[in-house]
């Protein structure tokens, strides 16, 4: 019987995590390994991202390799940002390793930089790739959510609740700086969920005088605290705090949450998302797909072309921003 190329069963796939870690990456690894094995596929775990691939750090995984990890933060495969993989020579080395181990399909769990690596590898060599979005930043346009965002948001809210207590007691202004690089989603969602008075994000220009006016007007109306969520990259919390204090005369404190946002046990929502995406990634490879990324849109798991996904600029959720303004008054 004649078989189309994609009907020839894939025998071995690899899985790696790359870039900044995110809670739920382990749940995604678990889903890839178990879905693969269930389909009779050998699954190789690659440690330390693309660096580990170049250096041949691979091991065969079985169902038990991923036991007891669904609830764990971080990534059991470790992660890295690889400069060497950005070079054609680095990718050639990586491809040689994939060939030696007979790996026909590679699942890459990471953000846009990691997806670009996967795209290049597939374009230059005969290797199928699928990306799973794993980053707390939620900065990818083609998917409503990335793995880790929900957990990071909940970590931020836990801290914001505590800061609000002391901020109210002292009737202070509190600036809370959160992660997100070029994307304000963590800050914006946290501002709404945490009932913050204001939010400063890269997508909207802010004016210090207007901000101070809002703070003073709020105080006049009887607000006992002023909680401001600041997205990293727009400015530094400590510096902004000093400016606000000198312009309003209200005592101001700054807190930078930092890497606490990247750790911790993943939320139920992130575990479910990771499980669904990991399962779909293996299905894509089995069906002959390559240079695809999986995601979630309107609660449906989707897969789209990696080049298209990377070309889409993250859209700013203006409605959510307006809501945050209205509700914080
Ligand atoms: O994972 C994304 C992110 O958390 C960004 O928000 C942040 O700028 C960056 O990673 C920092 O990562 P690292 O300290 O690992 O370089």
């Amino acid at each position: 019987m004649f078989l189309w190329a994609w009907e020839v069963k894939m025998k071995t796939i690899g899985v790696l995590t790359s870039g900044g870690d995110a809670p739920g990456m382990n749940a995604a690894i678990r889903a890839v390994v178990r879905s693969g094995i269930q389909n009779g596929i050998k699954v190789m775990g690659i440690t330390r991202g693309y660096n580990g691939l170049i250096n041949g750090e691979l091991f065969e995984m079985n169902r038990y390799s991923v036991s007891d990890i669904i609830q764990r933060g971080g990534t059991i495969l470790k992660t890295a940002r690889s400069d060497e993989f950005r070079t054609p020579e680095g990718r050639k080395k990586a491809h040689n390793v994939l060939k030696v181990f007979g790996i026909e399909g590679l699942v890459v769990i990471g953000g846009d930089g990691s997806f670009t690596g996967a795209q290049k590898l597939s374009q230059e060599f005969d290797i199928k790739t699928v990306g799973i979005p794993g980053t707390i930043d939620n900065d990818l346009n083609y998917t409503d959510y990335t793995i880790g965002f929900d957990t990071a948001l909940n970590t931020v809210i836990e801290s914001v609740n505590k800061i609000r207590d002391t901020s109210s007691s002292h009737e202070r202004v509190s600036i809370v700086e959160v992660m997100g690089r070029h994307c304000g989603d963590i800050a914006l969602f946290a501002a709404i969920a945490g009932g913050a008075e204001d939010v400063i994000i890269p997508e909207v220009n802010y004016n210090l005088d207007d901000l101070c006016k809002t703070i003073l007007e709020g105080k006049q109306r009887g607000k006992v605290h002023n909680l401001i969520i600041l997205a990293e990259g727009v400015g530094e919390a400590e510096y902004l705090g000093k400016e606000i204090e000198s312009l309003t005369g209200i005592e101001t404190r700054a807190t930078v949450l930092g890497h606490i946002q990247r750790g911790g046990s993943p939320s139920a929502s992130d575990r479910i998302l990771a499980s669904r995406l990991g399962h779909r990634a293996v299905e894509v490879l089995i069906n002959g797909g390559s240079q695809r990324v999986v995601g979630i849109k309107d609660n449906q798991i989707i897969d789209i072309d990696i080049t298209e996904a990377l070309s889409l600029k993250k859209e700013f959720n203006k409605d959510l921003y307006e809501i945050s303004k209205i509700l914080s008054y």
Side-chain angles (χ1 to χ4, degrees):
M1 190 182 73
F2 173 77
L3 287 177
W4 292 98
W6 57 82
E7 289 178 295
V8 178
K9 206 164 170 205
M10 188 161 274
K11 291 194 189 69
T12 309
I13 63 172
V15 57
L16 61 80
T17 48
S18 162
D21 63 348
M25 279 185 162
N26 282 329
I29 296 167
R30 174 178 178 269
V32 170
V33 171
R34 292 204 170 159
S35 300
I37 290 171
Q38 190 68 26
N39 282 287
I41 297 171
K42 182 169 156 184
V43 185
M44 301 297 292
I46 301 157
T47 52
R48 298 184 181 83
Y50 290 121
N51 276 345
L53 179 57
I54 290 169
N55 298 327
E57 298 176 39
L58 292 84
F59 67 101
E60 184 173 346
M61 300 183 85
N62 59 42
R63 319 189 135 264
Y64 308 107
S65 319
V66 289
S67 297
D68 204 26
I69 66 164
I70 195 164
Q71 78 288 8
R72 279 161 56 188
T75 156
I76 59 159
L77 290 178
K78 309 265 183 274
T79 186
R81 301 185 205 273
S82 174
D83 287 334
E84 194 176 358
F85 194 75
R86 287 178 212 276
T87 67
E89 298 75 31
R91 290 194 292 277
K92 175 109 194 51
K93 279 192 209 165
H95 177 246
N96 286 341
V97 173
L98 290 168
K99 251 188 8 200
V100 167
F101 285 89
I103 294 173
E104 299 141 286
L106 180 66
V107 179
V108 173
I109 307 169
D112 54 356
S114 311
F115 287 177
T116 304
Q119 178 199 34
K120 285 209 151 62
L121 196 64
S122 276
Q123 284 170 348
E124 292 166 6
F125 305 100
D126 182 24
I127 169 86
K128 293 184 165 55
T129 51
V130 181
I132 299 179
T135 164
I136 66 164
D137 292 348
N138 208 35
D139 57 352
L140 299 167
N141 173 290
Y142 79 93
T143 181
D144 289 341
Y145 294 105
T146 56
I147 297 167
F149 173 68
D150 183 66
T151 308
L153 184 58
N154 281 292
T155 302
V156 170
I157 291 304
E158 211 183 305
S159 303
V160 162
N161 291 343
K162 290 174 179 160
I163 291 167
R164 175 196 279 277
D165 288 345
T166 168
S167 193
S168 299
S169 305
H170 290 265
E171 300 178 69
R172 281 173 175 155
V173 174
S174 289
I175 321 276
V176 183
E177 185 182 313
V178 300
M179 280 188 169
R181 223 186 310 219
H182 311 298
C183 177
D185 274 22
I186 296 179
L188 181 54
F189 281 63
I192 294 178
E197 271 63 39
D198 220 324
V199 60
I200 302 174
I201 50 179
E203 295 86 349
V204 181
N205 290 331
Y206 87 98
N207 178 296
L208 186 59
D209 292 331
D210 289 347
L211 181 65
C212 290
K213 198 163 157 250
T214 309
I215 292 170
L216 289 169
E217 283 173 357
K219 196 173 170 70
Q220 254 175 6
R221 288 199 310 275
K223 276 191 184 277
V224 289
H225 62 248
N226 261 287
L227 205 57
I228 294 155
I229 313 285
L230 167 71
E232 68 169 341
V234 184
E236 282 181 11
E238 196 67 42
Y239 177 78
L240 182 65
K242 287 201 169 76
E243 296 267 280
I244 290 174
E245 187 165 306
S246 80
L247 286 167
T248 63
I250 306 173
E251 228 184 346
T252 302
R253 293 287 185 272
T255 308
V256 180
L257 294 184
H259 286 81
I260 194 169
Q261 297 161 91
R262 286 245 295 262
S265 180
S267 65
S269 175
D270 271 332
R271 295 181 201 190
I272 293 165
L273 177 63
S275 302
R276 293 175 77 189
L277 293 178
H279 176 260
R280 178 62 164 265
V282 173
E283 264 184 1
V284 169
L285 286 177
I286 288 172
N287 292 329
S290 181
Q291 296 190 57
R292 309 288 293 174
V293 285
V294 293
I296 187 163
K297 271 276 174 201
D298 303 324
N299 204 26
Q300 299 297 315
I301 300 300
I302 55 153
D303 61 273
I304 74 160
D305 179 71
I306 200 164
T307 305
E308 187 190 341
L310 288 169
S311 71
L312 300 171
K313 198 175 155 345
K314 171 88 183 175
E315 267 172 43
F316 170 53
N317 195 331
K318 205 163 173 288
D319 290 347
L320 223 44
Y321 184 73
E322 293 304 329
I323 291 172
S324 86
K325 288 283 171 201
I326 292 165
L327 301 186
S328 65
Y329 186 75

